[in-house]
Amino acid sequence: MRDFRFWWALFVLFLVLSLLVVQRGYRRWRIARDVVGLMPPSERAEVARGLAREGWRLGWMALSLVVMIALVFAALLGAPPALILGLRVGAVLAVAAVVRLGLRRGR
């Protein structure tokens, strides 16, 4: 497919969906953080650790989204190969951090 409009529409669709997922996750995290503040101290520690891990996961998710958007625009604007390679590595590392924190969720 050589029609750039299809790929641009796909990019925008995934961008919007990704932003909605991060926004929803942040809202849920913020509500959970407020609830943890109301818990008795004996129960708070373990839940607070899980909540902190979820906060880090959301942060890495947002960072990976920003890096991937920068990668798309860098490629479209003809950025130097070193910059594109750095953005690729950054995107892979950010997604790997999201996956790692997501897998540790049950512990």
Side-chain angles (χ1 to χ4, degrees):
M1 297 199 142
R2 295 214 175 260
D3 188 9
F4 76 93
R5 290 176 293 185
F6 170 75
W7 295 108
W8 188 252
L10 208 58
F11 170 72
V12 170
L13 173 71
F14 283 118
L15 174 65
V16 168
L17 289 176
S18 298
L19 286 173
L20 289 173
V21 166
V22 171
Q23 182 182 29
R24 181 173 182 248
Y26 176 73
R27 284 182 184 159
R28 292 178 68 188
W29 176 81
R30 193 178 58 200
I31 290 169
R33 184 187 62 185
D34 293 342
V35 169
V36 167
L38 301 174
M39 294 175 78
S42 61
E43 300 173 7
R44 189 181 307 166
E46 185 176 336
V47 176
R49 278 194 304 271
L51 191 61
R53 188 171 41 247
E54 184 66 18
W56 278 105
R57 191 175 78 86
L58 280 169
W60 280 105
M61 203 180 294
L63 179 67
S64 70
L65 189 59
V66 169
V67 171
M68 285 188 251
I69 291 169
L71 178 60
V72 167
F73 281 103
L76 289 175
L77 297 174
L83 177 63
I84 291 177
L85 178 63
L87 288 171
R88 280 181 172 174
V89 169
V92 168
L93 291 176
V95 170
V98 170
V99 170
R100 183 172 181 260
L101 289 169
L103 292 175
R104 294 184 65 199
R105 185 184 236 174
R107 292 183 192 172

